[in-house]
Amino acid sequence: MLNIGVIGCGTIGRQHINRFTNLIPSTKVVACSDYFEPAAQEAATLYNIDKVYKTGQEVIADPNVDAVVITAIDSVHAEYVMESLKHKKYVFCEKPLAVSAKDAENIVAAEAEIGKKLVQVGFMRRYDPGYAEMKRIINSGEMGEPLIIHACHRNRDMGDDFETNMAITNVAIHELDVCRWLLDDEYASVKVQKVKQSGLSKNRKFDNPQIALMETTKGCQIDVEIQAADCYGYDIQCQVVCEKGTINLPNPSAVVTKTDAQCRVPILTFWGDRFVQAYDIELANWVEMVQKGNITGPNAWDGYAACVAGDALNASRGSNAFLDVKMIEKPSLYK
Ligand code: ISE
């Protein structure tokens, strides 16, 4: 039995607790916390969790907790990962690994010092069957070299606490990971392009839409349209243009209705539904790897790489210039 402590009992925290409780064999959530204590209490009652702590530090320190899962707000991810590393515990941290490249770099340094991969980052798209098949096709070489990626990441709406920078650190962070993974490449330079703003989001405090542009070290070009409020649904698109053709992420399957001279296809509105299969596979896989003592999923270096590109994108906003993406030398642990 793998005993898990969960920090953060909001939407994704509860979904993961549910997976550990009802889907993945030989795991038990034994402790949890949330900065809003009633949320932790509620999750504990619902999922029969023995211990509710006031702080994430207490969850990590609990000797009964074998592995930690961080599903708290983005701004506290890094500090809990560092704390888990201090206790030399396996830790699954939802994306992003940190909200700044510097914090992510500290995690990489701390883990490299320990000399063992303990951190996995929640880049679940790598486990999505659609993206996984795209990766297989690219790697097979049958389409020739990949040249360009066109992607879009559209959310139906975000809450009022959403800010412009979060379009990168919270939203496009997925594309920052999945594109470098698909291409097996690193970013050389990036910029956020100022585009015409939607009149429908004019009362909001954030820019919408935005376009992130990335150039890789092998010369590929990537464009990602990011919307925090597209007014219609949760829509993820990805097309890899290769020498011999294109590779396209499939849309989720949906029942088509035809009536009144119209053909209708429903669109999902919630990311948890769109990537449910990816999350299920990701966590089952993580548990297996922890039990074997060998983490091979997206690691702290991957989390760091996405944060460095993310920082450069946010720093470029308004300047209309590409900024270089400067990474530290890769520690041998990640080679
Ligand atoms: C959200 O936090 C997620 O993690 C989703 O995967 C992402 O698609 C969405 O845009 C984020 O806000």
Side-chain angles (χ1 to χ4, degrees):
M1 191 58 82
L2 182 74
N3 287 342
I4 295 171
V6 175
I7 303 171
C9 299
T11 310
I12 190 73
R14 282 207 196 187
Q15 287 191 1
H16 288 355
I17 293 171
N18 182 50
R19 289 185 171 94
F20 293 125
T21 312
N22 296 317
L23 186 77
I24 304 171
S26 66
T27 55
K28 179 164 171 45
V29 179
V30 294
C32 67
S33 70
D34 194 284
Y35 82 100
F36 179 60
E37 220 186 316
Q41 292 289 357
E42 214 179 289
T45 310
L46 212 58
Y47 295 102
N48 209 11
I49 302 170
D50 306 334
K51 285 269 177 63
V52 175
Y53 289 111
K54 284 198 188 322
T55 67
Q57 279 80 2
E58 291 166 284
V59 172
I60 297 165
D62 183 334
N64 201 25
V65 167
D66 303 319
V68 178
V69 169
I70 302 170
T71 42
I73 51 164
D74 297 357
S75 57
V76 297
H77 287 186
E79 79 182 73
Y80 290 134
V81 172
M82 286 299 263
E83 187 70 15
S84 305
L85 288 177
K86 265 190 217 152
H87 286 76
K88 300 211 170 47
K89 290 192 178 180
Y90 284 105
V91 53
F92 177 92
C93 178
E94 262 308 330
K95 43 62 59 174
L97 177 61
V99 287
S100 77
K102 189 67 207 154
D103 286 351
E105 186 184 322
N106 292 340
I107 292 169
V108 163
E111 194 182 44
E113 173 86 23
I114 294 168
K116 184 178 176 189
K117 283 185 206 148
L118 294 171
V119 180
Q120 179 159 327
V121 183
F123 287 133
M124 82 298 176
R125 289 194 188 178
R126 296 183 182 203
Y127 298 88
D128 173 72
Y131 278 111
E133 178 61 3
M134 292 176 79
K135 171 85 173 155
R136 190 198 63 74
I137 295 170
I138 293 171
N139 285 359
S140 76
E142 67 194 76
M143 301 291 282
E145 280 292 305
L147 309 170
I148 303 169
I149 297 184
H150 303 295
C152 85
H153 185 152
R154 301 189 187 124
N155 286 273
R156 190 183 201 182
D157 203 356
M158 289 293 193
D160 281 337
D161 52 354
F162 194 81
E163 292 167 15
T164 296
N165 278 6
M166 291 164 70
I168 305 298
T169 61
N170 178 270
V171 177
I173 197 85
H174 283 295
E175 276 75 15
L176 287 174
D177 178 65
V178 89
C179 291
R180 70 181 272 282
W181 174 72
L182 284 172
L183 298 173
D184 192 18
D185 203 350
E186 294 294 357
Y187 299 116
S189 60
V190 298
K191 83 164 177 178
V192 166
Q193 181 88 44
K194 181 83 177 164
V195 293
K196 182 170 177 176
Q197 296 294 283
S198 164
L200 296 179
S201 42
K202 68 171 181 288
N203 294 326
R204 298 311 193 72
K205 286 173 287 172
F206 50 79
D207 287 1
N208 189 65
Q210 305 184 38
I211 294 182
L213 300 172
M214 287 92 83
E215 295 174 344
T216 72
T217 58
K218 292 181 198 160
C220 295
Q221 305 280 327
I222 302 165
D223 55 88
V224 186
E225 175 204 314
I226 310 154
Q227 291 227 40
D230 67 15
C231 297
Y232 74 87
Y234 183 71
D235 193 8
I236 302 299
Q237 303 292 327
C238 182
Q239 180 183 69
V240 183
V241 180
C242 299
E243 288 172 314
K244 295 188 195 166
T246 66
I247 309 171
N248 300 276
L249 183 71
N251 286 316
S253 65
V255 170
V256 175
T257 51
K258 295 179 182 175
T259 181
D260 197 21
Q262 283 192 358
C263 178
R264 291 193 202 128
V265 186
I267 298 174
L268 294 172
T269 54
F270 174 48
W271 42 265
D273 295 331
R274 168 65 181 83
F275 286 109
V276 65
Q277 218 183 340
Y279 285 118
D280 289 352
I281 300 170
E282 169 193 50
L283 286 190
N285 229 277
W286 175 69
V287 166
E288 221 175 279
M289 290 185 291
V290 169
Q291 282 165 338
K292 286 187 187 145
N294 182 23
I295 297 291
T296 57
N299 58 39
W301 180 260
D302 298 314
Y304 163 73
C307 286
V308 177
D311 271 11
L313 279 166
N314 275 332
S316 78
R317 185 172 290 103
S319 72
N320 203 27
F322 273 88
L323 293 186
D324 288 345
V325 175
K326 292 185 192 129
M327 309 229 295
I328 55 167
E329 203 187 316
K330 202 191 238 189
S332 57
L333 179 65
Y334 308 106
K335 282 179 182 158

Coordinates of all heavy atoms in Angstrom, one line a residue, residues 256-320:
V256 N -22.9 13.0 -32.6 CA -23.4 14.1 -33.5 C -24.9 14.0 -33.7 O -25.4 12.9 -33.9 CB -22.7 13.9 -34.9 CG1 -23.3 14.9 -35.9 CG2 -21.2 13.9 -34.8
T257 N -25.6 15.1 -33.5 CA -27.0 15.0 -33.8 C -27.3 15.9 -35.0 O -26.7 16.9 -35.3 CB -27.9 15.6 -32.6 OG1 -27.3 16.8 -32.2 CG2 -27.8 14.6 -31.4
K258 N -28.3 15.4 -35.8 CA -28.7 16.1 -37.0 C -30.2 16.3 -36.9 O -31.0 15.4 -36.8 CB -28.4 15.3 -38.3 CG -26.9 15.0 -38.5 CD -26.6 14.2 -39.7 CE -25.1 13.9 -39.8 NZ -24.8 13.0 -40.9
T259 N -30.5 17.6 -37.0 CA -31.9 17.9 -36.9 C -32.2 19.3 -37.4 O -31.3 20.2 -37.4 CB -32.4 17.9 -35.4 OG1 -33.8 18.2 -35.3 CG2 -31.7 18.8 -34.5
D260 N -33.4 19.5 -38.0 CA -33.8 20.9 -38.4 C -32.7 21.5 -39.3 O -32.3 22.6 -39.2 CB -34.0 21.7 -37.2 CG -34.8 23.0 -37.5 OD1 -35.5 23.0 -38.5 OD2 -34.7 24.0 -36.7
A261 N -32.2 20.7 -40.3 CA -31.2 21.1 -41.3 C -29.9 21.6 -40.6 O -29.2 22.4 -41.1 CB -31.8 22.2 -42.1
Q262 N -29.7 21.0 -39.4 CA -28.4 21.3 -38.8 C -27.7 20.0 -38.2 O -28.4 19.1 -37.9 CB -28.6 22.2 -37.6 CG -28.9 23.6 -38.0 CD -28.9 24.6 -36.8 OE1 -28.7 24.1 -35.6 NE2 -29.1 25.8 -37.0
C263 N -26.4 20.1 -38.2 CA -25.6 19.0 -37.6 C -24.9 19.6 -36.4 O -24.2 20.6 -36.5 CB -24.6 18.6 -38.7 SG -23.5 17.4 -38.2
R264 N -25.1 18.9 -35.2 CA -24.5 19.5 -34.0 C -23.5 18.5 -33.3 O -23.8 17.3 -33.2 CB -25.6 19.8 -33.0 CG -26.4 21.0 -33.4 CD -27.3 21.5 -32.3 NE -28.4 22.2 -32.9 CZ -29.7 22.0 -32.6 NH1 -30.0 21.1 -31.7 NH2 -30.6 22.8 -33.2
V265 N -22.4 19.1 -32.9 CA -21.4 18.3 -32.1 C -21.1 19.0 -30.8 O -20.7 20.2 -30.9 CB -20.1 18.2 -32.9 CG1 -19.1 17.2 -32.2 CG2 -20.3 17.7 -34.4
P266 N -21.4 18.4 -29.7 CA -21.2 19.1 -28.4 C -19.7 19.3 -28.2 O -18.9 18.5 -28.6 CB -21.8 18.2 -27.4 CG -21.9 16.9 -28.0 CD -22.0 17.1 -29.5
I267 N -19.3 20.4 -27.5 CA -17.9 20.7 -27.2 C -17.8 20.7 -25.7 O -18.7 21.3 -25.0 CB -17.5 22.1 -27.7 CG1 -17.6 22.1 -29.3 CG2 -16.1 22.4 -27.3 CD1 -17.4 23.4 -29.9
L268 N -16.8 20.1 -25.1 CA -16.6 20.0 -23.7 C -16.3 21.4 -23.2 O -15.8 22.3 -23.9 CB -15.4 19.1 -23.3 CG -15.7 17.6 -23.6 CD1 -14.4 16.8 -23.4 CD2 -16.8 17.1 -22.7
T269 N -16.5 21.7 -21.9 CA -16.3 23.0 -21.3 C -15.2 23.0 -20.2 O -14.7 24.0 -19.8 CB -17.5 23.7 -20.8 OG1 -18.1 22.7 -19.9 CG2 -18.5 24.0 -21.9
F270 N -14.9 21.7 -19.8 CA -14.0 21.6 -18.6 C -12.8 20.7 -18.9 O -13.0 19.6 -19.4 CB -14.9 21.0 -17.4 CG -14.1 20.7 -16.2 CD1 -13.2 21.6 -15.6 CD2 -14.3 19.5 -15.6 CE1 -12.5 21.3 -14.5 CE2 -13.6 19.1 -14.4 CZ -12.7 20.1 -13.9
W271 N -11.6 21.3 -18.5 CA -10.4 20.6 -18.9 C -10.3 19.2 -18.2 O -9.7 18.2 -18.7 CB -9.2 21.4 -18.5 CG -9.2 22.1 -17.2 CD1 -9.6 23.4 -17.0 CD2 -8.9 21.6 -15.9 NE1 -9.6 23.8 -15.7 CE2 -9.1 22.7 -15.0 CE3 -8.5 20.4 -15.4 CZ2 -8.9 22.6 -13.6 CZ3 -8.3 20.3 -14.0 CH2 -8.5 21.4 -13.1
G272 N -10.9 19.1 -17.0 CA -10.9 17.8 -16.3 C -11.6 16.7 -17.1 O -11.2 15.5 -17.0
D273 N -12.6 17.1 -17.8 CA -13.3 16.1 -18.7 C -12.5 15.8 -20.0 O -12.4 14.7 -20.4 CB -14.7 16.6 -19.1 CG -15.6 16.7 -17.9 OD1 -15.4 16.0 -16.9 OD2 -16.5 17.6 -17.9
R274 N -12.0 16.9 -20.5 CA -11.2 16.7 -21.8 C -10.0 15.7 -21.6 O -9.7 15.0 -22.5 CB -10.7 18.1 -22.3 CG -9.7 18.1 -23.4 CD -10.3 17.5 -24.7 NE -9.4 17.5 -25.8 CZ -8.5 16.5 -26.0 NH1 -8.4 15.5 -25.1 NH2 -7.7 16.6 -27.0
F275 N -9.4 15.8 -20.5 CA -8.1 15.0 -20.3 C -8.3 14.0 -19.2 O -7.3 13.5 -18.6 CB -6.9 16.0 -20.0 CG -6.5 16.7 -21.2 CD1 -6.7 18.0 -21.4 CD2 -5.9 16.0 -22.3 CE1 -6.3 18.7 -22.5 CE2 -5.5 16.7 -23.5 CZ -5.7 18.0 -23.6
V276 N -9.5 13.5 -19.0 CA -9.8 12.6 -17.9 C -8.9 11.3 -18.1 O -8.3 10.8 -17.1 CB -11.3 12.2 -17.8 CG1 -11.8 11.5 -19.0 CG2 -11.6 11.4 -16.5
Q277 N -8.8 10.8 -19.3 CA -8.1 9.6 -19.5 C -6.6 9.8 -19.3 O -5.9 9.0 -18.7 CB -8.3 9.2 -21.0 CG -8.4 7.7 -21.2 CD -8.5 7.4 -22.7 OE1 -8.9 8.3 -23.5 NE2 -8.2 6.2 -23.1
A278 N -6.1 11.0 -19.7 CA -4.7 11.3 -19.5 C -4.3 11.3 -18.0 O -3.3 10.8 -17.6 CB -4.4 12.7 -20.2
Y279 N -5.2 12.0 -17.2 CA -5.0 12.0 -15.8 C -5.0 10.6 -15.2 O -4.2 10.3 -14.3 CB -6.1 12.9 -15.1 CG -5.9 14.4 -15.2 CD1 -6.9 15.1 -15.9 CD2 -4.8 15.1 -14.7 CE1 -6.8 16.5 -16.0 CE2 -4.8 16.5 -14.9 CZ -5.7 17.2 -15.5 OH -5.7 18.5 -15.7
D280 N -5.9 9.8 -15.6 CA -6.0 8.5 -15.0 C -4.8 7.7 -15.3 O -4.2 7.0 -14.4 CB -7.2 7.7 -15.7 CG -8.6 8.2 -15.2 OD1 -8.6 9.0 -14.3 OD2 -9.6 7.8 -15.8
I281 N -4.3 7.7 -16.6 CA -3.1 7.0 -16.9 C -1.9 7.5 -16.2 O -1.0 6.8 -15.7 CB -2.9 7.1 -18.5 CG1 -4.1 6.5 -19.2 CG2 -1.6 6.4 -18.9 CD1 -4.1 6.7 -20.7
E282 N -1.8 8.9 -16.2 CA -0.7 9.6 -15.6 C -0.5 9.1 -14.1 O 0.6 8.7 -13.7 CB -0.9 11.1 -15.6 CG 0.1 11.9 -14.8 CD -0.4 13.3 -14.7 OE1 -1.6 13.6 -14.3 OE2 0.4 14.2 -14.9
L283 N -1.6 9.2 -13.3 CA -1.4 8.9 -11.9 C -1.2 7.4 -11.6 O -0.4 7.0 -10.7 CB -2.6 9.4 -11.1 CG -2.7 10.9 -10.9 CD1 -3.8 11.3 -10.0 CD2 -1.3 11.5 -10.5
A284 N -1.8 6.5 -12.4 CA -1.6 5.1 -12.2 C -0.1 4.8 -12.5 O 0.5 4.0 -11.8 CB -2.5 4.3 -13.2
N285 N 0.4 5.4 -13.6 CA 1.8 5.3 -13.9 C 2.7 5.8 -12.9 O 3.7 5.2 -12.6 CB 2.0 6.1 -15.2 CG 2.6 5.4 -16.3 OD1 3.8 5.4 -16.3 ND2 1.9 4.9 -17.2
W286 N 2.4 6.9 -12.3 CA 3.2 7.5 -11.3 C 3.3 6.6 -10.1 O 4.4 6.3 -9.5 CB 2.7 8.9 -10.9 CG 3.5 9.5 -9.7 CD1 4.7 10.0 -9.7 CD2 3.0 9.7 -8.4 NE1 5.1 10.4 -8.5 CE2 4.0 10.3 -7.7 CE3 1.8 9.5 -7.7 CZ2 3.9 10.6 -6.3 CZ3 1.7 9.8 -6.4 CH2 2.7 10.4 -5.7
V287 N 2.2 6.1 -9.7 CA 2.2 5.1 -8.5 C 3.1 3.9 -8.8 O 3.9 3.6 -7.9 CB 0.7 4.7 -8.2 CG1 0.7 3.5 -7.2 CG2 -0.1 5.9 -7.6
E288 N 2.9 3.4 -10.0 CA 3.8 2.2 -10.3 C 5.3 2.6 -10.3 O 6.1 1.8 -9.7 CB 3.4 1.9 -11.8 CG 3.4 0.4 -12.0 CD 2.9 0.1 -13.4 OE1 1.7 0.2 -13.7 OE2 3.8 -0.1 -14.3
M289 N 5.6 3.8 -10.8 CA 7.0 4.2 -10.8 C 7.5 4.4 -9.4 O 8.7 4.1 -9.0 CB 7.2 5.4 -11.6 CG 7.0 5.2 -13.1 SD 7.3 6.6 -14.2 CE 6.0 7.7 -13.8
V290 N 6.7 5.0 -8.5 CA 7.1 5.3 -7.1 C 7.3 3.9 -6.4 O 8.3 3.7 -5.7 CB 6.0 6.1 -6.4 CG1 6.3 6.1 -4.9 CG2 6.0 7.5 -6.9
Q291 N 6.4 3.0 -6.7 CA 6.6 1.7 -6.1 C 7.8 1.0 -6.5 O 8.5 0.2 -5.8 CB 5.3 0.8 -6.3 CG 4.2 1.2 -5.4 CD 2.8 0.7 -5.8 OE1 2.6 0.4 -7.0 NE2 1.9 0.6 -4.8
K292 N 8.2 1.2 -7.8 CA 9.5 0.6 -8.3 C 10.7 1.4 -7.9 O 11.8 1.0 -8.2 CB 9.4 0.5 -9.8 CG 8.5 -0.6 -10.3 CD 8.6 -0.8 -11.8 CE 7.6 -1.7 -12.4 NZ 7.1 -1.3 -13.7
G293 N 10.5 2.6 -7.4 CA 11.6 3.5 -7.1 C 12.3 4.1 -8.3 O 13.5 4.4 -8.2
N294 N 11.6 4.3 -9.4 CA 12.2 4.8 -10.6 C 11.2 5.7 -11.4 O 10.4 5.2 -12.1 CB 12.6 3.6 -11.5 CG 13.4 4.0 -12.7 OD1 13.9 5.1 -12.8 ND2 13.3 3.2 -13.8
I295 N 11.4 7.0 -11.2 CA 10.5 8.0 -11.9 C 11.0 8.3 -13.3 O 12.1 8.8 -13.5 CB 10.5 9.3 -11.1 CG1 10.0 9.1 -9.6 CG2 9.8 10.4 -11.8 CD1 8.5 8.8 -9.6
T296 N 10.2 8.0 -14.3 CA 10.6 8.3 -15.7 C 9.6 9.2 -16.4 O 9.7 9.5 -17.6 CB 10.6 6.9 -16.5 OG1 9.3 6.3 -16.4 CG2 11.7 6.0 -16.0
G297 N 8.6 9.8 -15.6 CA 7.7 10.7 -16.2 C 8.3 12.1 -16.3 O 9.5 12.3 -16.0
P298 N 7.5 13.1 -16.7 CA 8.0 14.5 -16.7 C 8.6 14.9 -15.4 O 8.0 14.8 -14.3 CB 6.8 15.3 -17.0 CG 5.6 14.4 -17.1 CD 6.1 13.0 -17.0
N299 N 9.9 15.3 -15.4 CA 10.6 15.5 -14.2 C 10.9 17.0 -13.9 O 10.4 17.9 -14.6 CB 11.9 14.7 -14.2 CG 12.8 15.1 -15.4 OD1 12.9 16.3 -15.8 ND2 13.4 14.2 -16.1
A300 N 11.7 17.2 -12.9 CA 11.9 18.6 -12.4 C 12.6 19.4 -13.5 O 12.3 20.6 -13.7 CB 12.8 18.6 -11.2
W301 N 13.4 18.8 -14.3 CA 14.1 19.5 -15.5 C 13.0 19.9 -16.5 O 13.1 21.1 -17.0 CB 15.2 18.6 -16.1 CG 15.8 19.3 -17.3 CD1 15.5 19.2 -18.6 CD2 16.8 20.4 -17.1 NE1 16.3 20.1 -19.3 CE2 17.1 20.8 -18.5 CE3 17.5 21.0 -16.1 CZ2 18.0 21.8 -18.7 CZ3 18.4 22.0 -16.3 CH2 18.7 22.4 -17.7
D302 N 12.1 19.1 -16.8 CA 11.0 19.4 -17.7 C 10.2 20.6 -17.1 O 9.8 21.5 -17.9 CB 10.1 18.2 -17.9 CG 10.8 17.1 -18.6 OD1 11.6 17.3 -19.6 OD2 10.7 15.9 -18.1
G303 N 9.9 20.5 -15.8 CA 9.2 21.6 -15.2 C 10.0 22.9 -15.3 O 9.4 24.0 -15.5
Y304 N 11.3 22.8 -15.1 CA 12.2 24.0 -15.1 C 12.2 24.6 -16.5 O 12.0 25.8 -16.7 CB 13.6 23.6 -14.7 CG 14.7 24.5 -15.1 CD1 14.8 25.8 -14.4 CD2 15.6 24.2 -16.1 CE1 15.8 26.7 -14.8 CE2 16.6 25.1 -16.5 CZ 16.7 26.3 -15.8 OH 17.7 27.2 -16.2
A305 N 12.3 23.7 -17.5 CA 12.4 24.2 -18.9 C 11.2 24.9 -19.3 O 11.3 26.0 -20.0 CB 12.6 23.0 -19.9
A306 N 10.0 24.5 -18.9 CA 8.8 25.2 -19.2 C 8.7 26.5 -18.5 O 8.3 27.5 -19.1 CB 7.6 24.3 -18.8
C307 N 9.2 26.6 -17.3 CA 9.2 27.8 -16.5 C 10.2 28.9 -17.1 O 9.9 30.1 -17.2 CB 9.6 27.6 -15.1 SG 8.4 26.8 -14.1
V308 N 11.3 28.4 -17.6 CA 12.3 29.4 -18.2 C 11.7 30.0 -19.5 O 11.7 31.2 -19.7 CB 13.6 28.7 -18.6 CG1 14.6 29.6 -19.3 CG2 14.3 28.1 -17.4
A309 N 11.1 29.2 -20.3 CA 10.4 29.7 -21.5 C 9.2 30.6 -21.1 O 9.0 31.7 -21.8 CB 9.9 28.6 -22.4
G310 N 8.5 30.2 -20.1 CA 7.4 31.0 -19.6 C 7.8 32.3 -19.1 O 7.1 33.4 -19.4
D311 N 8.9 32.4 -18.3 CA 9.4 33.7 -17.9 C 9.8 34.6 -19.0 O 9.5 35.8 -19.0 CB 10.6 33.5 -17.0 CG 10.3 33.3 -15.5 OD1 9.1 33.1 -15.2 OD2 11.2 33.3 -14.7
A312 N 10.4 34.0 -20.0 CA 10.9 34.8 -21.2 C 9.6 35.3 -22.0 O 9.6 36.5 -22.4 CB 11.8 34.0 -22.1
L313 N 8.6 34.5 -22.1 CA 7.4 34.9 -22.8 C 6.8 36.1 -22.1 O 6.5 37.1 -22.7 CB 6.4 33.8 -22.9 CG 6.6 32.8 -24.0 CD1 5.8 31.5 -23.8 CD2 6.3 33.4 -25.4
N314 N 6.6 36.0 -20.8 CA 6.0 37.1 -20.0 C 6.9 38.3 -20.0 O 6.3 39.4 -20.1 CB 5.7 36.6 -18.6 CG 4.4 35.9 -18.5 OD1 3.5 36.1 -19.3 ND2 4.2 35.0 -17.5
A315 N 8.2 38.1 -20.0 CA 9.1 39.3 -20.0 C 9.0 40.0 -21.4 O 9.3 41.2 -21.5 CB 10.5 38.9 -19.8
S316 N 8.7 39.3 -22.4 CA 8.7 39.8 -23.8 C 7.4 40.7 -24.1 O 7.4 41.4 -25.0 CB 8.7 38.7 -24.9 OG 7.5 38.1 -25.0
R317 N 6.4 40.5 -23.2 CA 5.1 41.1 -23.5 C 5.2 42.6 -23.7 O 5.8 43.3 -22.8 CB 4.1 40.8 -22.4 CG 2.7 41.3 -22.8 CD 1.6 40.8 -21.8 NE 1.4 39.4 -21.9 CZ 1.8 38.5 -21.1 NH1 2.5 38.8 -20.0 NH2 1.5 37.2 -21.3
G318 N 4.7 43.1 -24.8 CA 4.8 44.6 -25.0 C 6.0 45.1 -25.8 O 6.0 46.1 -26.3
S319 N 7.0 44.2 -25.8 CA 8.3 44.7 -26.5 C 8.3 44.3 -28.0 O 9.0 44.9 -28.7 CB 9.5 44.1 -25.8 OG 9.6 42.7 -26.2
N320 N 7.5 43.4 -28.4 CA 7.4 42.9 -29.7 C 8.8 42.3 -30.2 O 9.1 42.4 -31.4 CB 6.9 44.0 -30.7 CG 6.4 43.4 -32.0 OD1 5.9 42.3 -31.9 ND2 6.5 44.1 -33.1

